[in-house]
Amino acid sequence: MSTHEDYLREAVRLAADNVQDGGSPYGAVLVRNGEVLASVANNIHATNDPTGHAEMVALRVASQRLNDRDLSGSIMYASGQPCPMCHAAMRLSGIREGYFANAAATAAGFGLLGTEIYAELCRPLDEQPMRLAHLDVPGATEPYAAWRARKP
């Protein structure tokens, strides 16, 4: 495998196999310098872990394999458009490039979580369906200050 399309086809194959195994239609392949670091499917059905999205599983597998949370230079190939959680995790791991075979709107057309979550997260906090509010707690920034003081 060496092209973007080849890796995407593999992600779609993983998704199809996952459906046959009782899971949802999501697969991911994480590649760096031509080496496949992870080739996995969504595992929520097997683990009951709501974060077991294919991209998240790929990040975990690759990070453990490399014993490093920095996956800079890696490319994520996903059968479906990464959700906001997966997108953020990819960014936090240093990934700056990715490709997907199906857009969120396509997934929504099949009854899967799709574009609505993206739209919800763009609304002000007080207009989102999940209530999330800032409360001022004295001393709350102390762990941040300790972390900054520890950094070289």
Side-chain angles (χ1 to χ4, degrees):
M1 254 187 273
S2 60
T3 68
H4 296 311
E5 293 81 11
D6 290 333
Y7 292 123
L8 279 176
R9 275 194 287 279
E10 176 63 9
V12 171
R13 186 196 63 75
L14 289 163
D17 289 350
N18 202 44
V19 170
Q20 293 300 312
D21 292 339
S24 54
Y26 296 103
V29 179
L30 187 60
V31 178
R32 182 164 64 185
N33 299 325
E35 178 186 1
V36 175
L37 300 177
S39 182
V40 299
N42 176 306
N43 67 10
I44 294 171
H45 68 291
T47 64
N48 292 316
D49 176 357
T51 68
H53 294 198
E55 300 90 342
M56 297 292 284
V57 176
L59 295 174
R60 290 179 188 128
V61 167
S63 294
Q64 290 171 0
R65 178 178 175 191
L66 299 173
N67 196 32
D68 194 348
R69 63 183 173 197
D70 183 1
L71 300 175
S72 297
S74 298
I75 302 172
M76 181 70 76
Y77 297 92
S79 62
Q81 183 175 353
C83 74
M85 172 185 68
C86 294
H87 187 131
M90 290 161 56
R91 291 282 313 274
L92 289 169
S93 72
I95 293 174
R96 295 292 181 259
E97 186 178 356
Y99 300 89
F100 56 89
N102 291 294
T106 302
F110 286 90
L112 295 157
L113 186 59
T115 55
E116 67 276 359
I117 195 165
Y118 297 94
E120 287 174 4
L121 292 174
C122 290
R123 295 184 201 155
L125 285 177
D126 61 350
E127 294 178 17
Q128 294 183 17
M130 183 183 85
R131 295 294 177 226
L132 187 61
H134 173 255
L135 298 177
D136 192 20
V137 177
T141 61
E142 289 175 12
Y144 293 160
W147 176 81
R148 183 175 57 196
R150 187 189 75 212
K151 292 209 46 122

